[in-house]
Amino acid sequence: MARRSDSGGRLDDAARAGWLYYVAGRTQDEIAAAMGISRQSAQRLVSLAVAERLIKVRLDHPIAACLEKGEALRERFSLKHVEVVPSDPAGTSSTVGIAEAGAAEIERWLRQPDPIVLAVGTGRTLKAAVDQLPPMDCPQHRIVSLTGNIGPDGSAAYYNVIFSMADAIKARHFPMPLPVLCSSSEERVLLHDQPMVRSTLALGAAANVTFVGVGELGENAPLCLDGFLAVDEMKKLIAEGAAGEICGWFFDGDGQIMNNPINDRVASVPVPPRETCTVVGIAQGRKKSPAILAALRGGLLNGVITDEQSAEYLLTH
């Protein structure tokens, strides 16, 4: 998958800054804070939007409708970060668009000079985003995995992203040396009590920003396809009201983490507290939309990167 070109990415940023300034009425200081850039950079992006004739009577750029939906999502769910990318009705990929947007947001955090703890989940969409990251040197940051990196058969989990991410950005990384699901709750307690695991749990809880996928449920859900969960277990969860999962944690239609034997076996780090951490879900698509909506309703996420069609669902249900 080709990375977004620098010129294309800059025009997208100029379109975003122009929309925030001329349509949303934000000040340049507010734009700088929203986009994670300096005030001078925000001013230059607004000027570029005018110079490239993106600003006329309306924003002459396809991202305008996405920005409007994003602002509506921000207000409805009190979100810290929103990104809505155009939908491709004829597309067959479930990651094109949001993978590039996710990579851009991850990169913005990593460009910060001050040290941060960045936590990551797992999954196909998140891996596609990490694959878009440019090479960077970030020795000041720490990257921690919220989920285990061991598959059901003892092999390395393919969609665990921390190692490929660490290779790209040259940062200290802290994997979770556990499976996604333990065989029992007693085993989880025993494994979590190991010194190496305790330090990873503490680091994940202290994350400044977290990027996670949002999993849909069903017989073809990733946890079933990857062998972590039996089909009959998945059916029982759905019958009990489960709506989706984040890092293996199952939640109901109101976005509440469920109290059940499956969640008692989850070895993942709990999703960091949203009061102190920006937790961004990267997901799109008809199958995932109900799970995204539930996670937003329950406040499991305070940021989302999705597409137009999914945003429309989130705004109308």
Side-chain angles (χ1 to χ4, degrees), residues 16 18 93 100 111 121 251 288 315:
R16 189 180 317 285
S93 173
E100 290 81 359
R111 293 289 182 193
F251 53 87
K288 287 181 179 284
L315 291 169

Side-chain angles (χ1 to χ4, degrees), residues 11-33:
L11 281 182
D12 283 354
D13 287 343
R16 189 180 317 285
W19 187 90
L20 288 169
Y21 188 79
Y22 288 102
V23 180
R26 303 283 186 89
T27 67
Q28 290 177 357
D29 285 332
E30 289 172 333
I31 295 170

Side-chain angles (χ1 to χ4, degrees), residues 278-297:
T278 300
V279 182
V280 181
I282 307 178
Q284 69 178 8
R286 179 178 55 84
K287 291 182 178 180
K288 287 181 179 284
S289 292
I292 302 169
L293 178 60
L296 290 173
R297 279 176 174 166

Side-chain angles (χ1 to χ4, degrees), residues 210-229:
T210 298
F211 294 92
V212 295
V214 180
E216 77 274 15
L217 304 187
E219 294 182 26
N220 294 320
L223 282 175
C224 286
L225 294 179
D226 295 341
F228 289 106
L229 202 64

Side-chain angles (χ1 to χ4, degrees), residues 58-76:
R58 59 184 174 83
L59 186 60
D60 192 13
H61 191 282
I63 206 171
C66 296
L67 289 168
E68 291 171 359
K69 287 183 172 65
E71 194 67 16
L73 285 173
R74 185 192 304 275
E75 292 181 3
R76 181 175 183 182

Side-chain angles (χ1 to χ4, degrees), residues 117-253:
V117 176
L118 187 150
V120 291
T122 187
R124 293 158 177 79
T125 305
L126 194 57
K127 185 178 187 302
V130 168
D131 287 344
Q132 297 293 313
L133 287 174
M136 301 169 63
D137 287 320
C138 304
Q140 74 275 30
H141 301 321
R142 289 176 290 175
I143 314 300
V144 60
S145 177
L146 296 183
T147 59
N149 60 351
I150 300 173
D153 60 356
S155 64
Y158 180 73
Y159 290 106
N160 191 283
V161 303
I162 191 166
F163 298 112
S164 55
M165 188 174 184
D167 287 342
I169 66 173
K170 302 299 185 293
R172 288 180 293 165
H173 55 288
F174 300 82
M176 174 64 79
L178 299 176
V180 176
L181 286 171
C182 297
S183 61
S184 66
S185 59
E186 292 79 12
E187 182 184 57
R188 184 183 74 167
V189 172
L190 180 65
L191 292 174
H192 276 193
D193 195 42
Q194 304 307 306
M196 182 186 303
V197 176
R198 285 205 306 267
S199 63
T200 303
L201 290 168
L203 189 62
N208 302 100
V209 62
T210 298
F211 294 92
V212 295
V214 180
E216 77 274 15
L217 304 187
E219 294 182 26
N220 294 320
L223 282 175
C224 286
L225 294 179
D226 295 341
F228 289 106
L229 202 64
V231 171
D232 60 337
E233 291 178 309
M234 175 63 73
K235 290 180 177 179
K236 188 172 187 296
L237 282 166
I238 295 173
E240 292 173 350
E245 60 89 11
I246 293 176
C247 296
W249 297 102
F250 289 91
F251 53 87
D252 62 22

